[in-house]
Amino acid sequence: MELRVLRYFQAVVTELNISRAAERLHVSQPTISRQLKDLEEELGVALFTRNGRNIQLTSNGEYFANQANQILALADKTVDNLHREQEVTGSFVIGCAESRSFLTLAQAVQKLQTRFPKIKVNLISTNADEIRTHLKSGNFDFGVVMEPADKGEFNFMHLPGESRWGLLMPRNAPLAQNDHVQLSDLQGQKIIVSRQRGVLDLLKEWYGESTPQFDVVATYNLLYNASLLVTAGVGYALCVDGIINTNQSDLIFVPLTPRRTTGTSLVWYKGQRLSPAADAFLKQLTTDLKPSNSTE
């Protein structure tokens, strides 16, 4: 299976039309059609259903399209990092949980690009479980994860600052009149929680019960989308502060009491060799932070 064929496949997936894909790639239509047929025979599955000039992905095709995109992205990143001059160039990828602690990394990126203006950083917002998967596959160089997080397979560096747990709710909600929310106030409420592994266990630990008396009605991996559920009246979102700007909005963040906080860590896979660009970023961040923050 050649990268060239995967790029043909990727173009057809984007256009859902072989003629337009051929024009985009500046190759003949029969060439793409033949390569797609050979690809399906090699894989032993149908990737498309064809209806005249229009085509649609099969379920196998949708899965393969996602894998092909990851393969091509990794290949492009690898070539980008290899084709560097004596000056450090190239790119690196950070998978990010939503956290205001990311400002520390943003400041390190600014200093790095001042020194090496040809370095590019790619940010992908996701949760800790997805970050763990993509770090192992090599699609991400680094991840920013909120605690609690399993870091057994990773090198990590604690980032400064903490975020406070609380509830995001409409300003007209009964609990919105309180300065703080107690865990007992969650009883009987509809709660929207992060899908990150360990969050529900953490909440049960706070409660001191294996079955807290609240109703989890939805989960999220990006808090912005969860905030829209809150606005729509689906429930209250359990989250950390500093992510959603509630100024001049219909929402308000009310912190939990007793005070509950969480930290943030930068993680990278122990078995992965960092590219020059990624290594330069890590050195810059290490310089910015205290050496005792790093555990390898």
Side-chain angles (χ1 to χ4, degrees), residues 122-150:
N122 301 298
L123 306 179
I124 300 177
S125 295
T126 185
N127 62 21
D129 295 333
E130 292 294 324
I131 287 171
R132 184 180 295 105
T133 298
H134 287 293
L135 284 172
K136 289 182 180 180
S137 68
N139 291 316
F140 291 175
D141 297 287
F142 301 102
V144 178
V145 297
M146 301 281 292
E147 305 298 346
D150 179 6

